[in-house]
Amino acid sequence: MVDVLAAPQQGKADSALRTLTGISIAHWVSHFHLLVLPMLFPFLKEKLGVGYVELGFSLTALAVVSGLTQAPTGYLVDHFGARKILLIGLTLGGCALILLGLHLSYFALIACAVLLGLANSVYHPADYAILAEHMDEARMGRAFSVHTFAGYLGGAVTPAIVAALVTLWGGVGALVASGAIAIVVAVLLIAMGIPEAGAHKTKPGGESAPKQAVITPALITLTALFMLLSLSVAGINNFGVVALMSGYGTSYSIANVALTAFLAASAAGVLAGGFLADHTERHGYVAAACFAANAAIVLLIALVTLPGWALTATMAIAGFLSGVIAPSRDMLVRNAAPAGAAGRAFGIVSTGFNLGGIVSPLLFGWIMDQSAPHWVFGASVIFMVATVVLSPFTERKPAKAVRE
């Protein structure tokens, strides 16, 4: 009898693990694809005969399209199914890179960037809708942390993978192979039997479930929080090395080691944050505490010229704390999402990331142009303090029907 009762539970656990694995691989692809074009800029510059401003415009186009389509994609996820939309996104992103490889031109580059931006808008709404519906409630924070960690890992290994592909098959081959990876993953998800989620459901009597407003004060607040989170770390990620070199006399090698420590510790912090998120319901206060400590640490970096070993250790601690918040951040969105609207909820709040991604290069680039490298870290502290103030207001109890 015990075996009979245990079998369904074991089957459910195996299904959840398979789902988490598949969705995490898809998230790995999303971060990998975001960096493929920048890694190939030297090749594209030579072949297309354009400058870095024109190449940079392709990334702006990607970010703008992704930002404008996150919320509409969330609507599609909730009404047509997260699995279908995720597979379409993977295929679209893969085809975009393959077509650019087969037809190299500046117009094709911009078209590829636009399609990659559209494909990128799929991952957060679709991934989180599937995870929110099919993961065990007691392990939801850890599931979110593994998913986020996979994305961090995708970005971390992209330079090495693209360099290897260029060495083996040249720039064109690297584009085609990078696109093919997404097609292979889409086929893999089908073979793994990734479940559907978010598709429009009806009540047992055949009546449609009542519609609920999705653009709520809670989700608007969380969108602002996501934008502040993006701005809090974007300056360090993108301009930290040049700021340390020009403002603190740090060598190129030490500055790179310090940034690597920040990024690696962020990934480790994400996994640790998953366990923390599963053992508390005060996710907003967890975020506030982590960023309060982080603000103090980054302020120290802004004000004091630290020796190389101390700078690396301090950057690692700051990175770890910034990673710890990620699972709690995702739990806040899940708790605030109306029943049956996880896709739209995550689509809306993820727009905050895109807004931060559009604003941060201009803001921190302007700071560096003003010869004020210390303010790369100083501005990050200001955004962290704003995050601390806003985070407690994002607390919501979980929606009981979110997994129905």
Side-chain angles (χ1 to χ4, degrees):
M1 178 63 71
V2 172
D3 291 340
V4 172
L5 293 175
Q9 294 297 323
Q10 182 62 44
K12 185 177 179 181
D14 291 343
S15 176
L17 178 60
R18 183 171 63 252
T19 298
L20 177 59
T21 300
I23 296 305
S24 296
I25 293 173
H27 198 217
W28 182 96
V29 171
S30 75
H31 283 248
F32 172 71
H33 274 186
L34 287 175
L35 288 178
V36 168
L37 292 182
M39 293 301 102
L40 289 173
F41 271 179
F43 162 77
L44 293 170
K45 184 177 185 295
E46 178 184 349
K47 292 296 183 182
L48 301 181
V50 297
Y52 283 113
V53 172
E54 289 85 356
L55 293 174
F57 177 73
S58 67
L59 300 185
T60 299
L62 190 159
V64 170
V65 170
S66 184
L68 292 176
T69 55
Q70 288 271 356
T73 300
Y75 175 87
L76 295 177
V77 164
D78 288 334
H79 283 264
F80 296 102
R83 179 177 180 269
K84 298 183 187 72
I85 300 300
L86 177 59
L87 294 174
I88 290 172
L90 281 165
T91 305
L92 182 63
C95 289
L97 289 170
I98 292 172
L99 291 175
L100 176 60
L102 298 178
H103 182 72
L104 273 176
S105 69
Y106 185 68
F107 174 80
L109 172 63
I110 300 303
C112 174
V114 168
L115 293 177
L116 284 175
L118 186 58
N120 185 62
S121 74
V122 163
Y123 293 103
H124 278 188
D127 287 3
Y128 284 116
I130 293 172
L131 293 177
E133 190 166 316
H134 294 286
M135 293 297 104
D136 180 11
E137 184 69 32
R139 296 178 175 84
M140 190 65 68
R142 277 166 283 181
F144 283 159
S145 73
V146 170
H147 171 262
T148 302
F149 175 80
Y152 278 56
L153 182 62
V157 301
T158 301
I161 291 177
V162 172
L165 292 174
V166 170
T167 301
L168 289 172
W169 298 310
V172 169
L175 284 168
V176 173
S178 297
I181 288 173
I183 307 297
V184 170
V185 170
V187 174
L188 176 64
L189 295 190
I190 294 173
M192 293 176 71
I194 297 300
E196 188 59 276
H200 181 67
K201 297 180 177 64
T202 57
K203 290 184 175 181
E207 300 176 2
S208 296
K211 294 182 178 180
Q212 300 185 47
V214 178
I215 303 179
T216 61
L219 289 182
I220 292 173
T221 303
L222 283 165
T223 301
L225 178 69
F226 271 50
M227 184 176 70
L228 289 172
L229 290 172
S230 175
L231 291 169
S232 297
V233 297
I236 298 173
N237 288 346
N238 298 324
F239 292 90
V241 170
V242 293
L244 288 170
M245 291 175 63
S246 62
Y248 301 83
T250 306
S251 69
Y252 178 75
S253 59
I254 291 178
N256 270 288
V257 168
L259 180 60
T260 300
F262 179 87
L263 296 174
S266 294
V270 167
L271 294 178
F275 286 91
L276 181 60
D278 281 335
H279 290 85
T280 181
E281 294 183 355
R282 311 306 294 271
H283 304 293
Y285 290 98
V286 169
C290 287
F291 265 76
N294 222 358
I297 292 169
V298 176
L299 182 61
L300 174 66
I301 297 173
L303 297 178
V304 180
T305 300
L306 299 171
W309 66 268
L311 174 64
T312 300
T314 305
M315 288 281 282
I317 296 171
F320 183 84
L321 289 171
S322 69
V324 168
I325 191 181
S328 289
R329 170 203 74 194
D330 296 335
M331 291 295 287
L332 285 169
V333 181
R334 180 179 181 271
N335 292 347
R344 280 168 287 173
F346 278 102
I348 289 168
V349 299
S350 294
T351 303
F353 276 144
N354 296 111
L355 292 174
I358 293 169
V359 172
S360 61
L362 302 175
L363 172 63
F364 289 100
W366 177 82
I367 288 174
M368 288 302 298
D369 284 341
Q370 303 307 305
S371 300
H374 290 74
W375 275 100
V376 168
F377 298 97
S380 298
V381 170
I382 292 172
F383 291 126
M384 288 178 184
V385 171
T387 300
V388 172
V389 173
L390 187 60
S391 293
F393 295 97
T394 60
E395 288 282 355
R396 293 292 185 280
K397 291 184 178 179
K400 293 182 178 180
V402 74
R403 300 181 64 204
E404 293 180 359

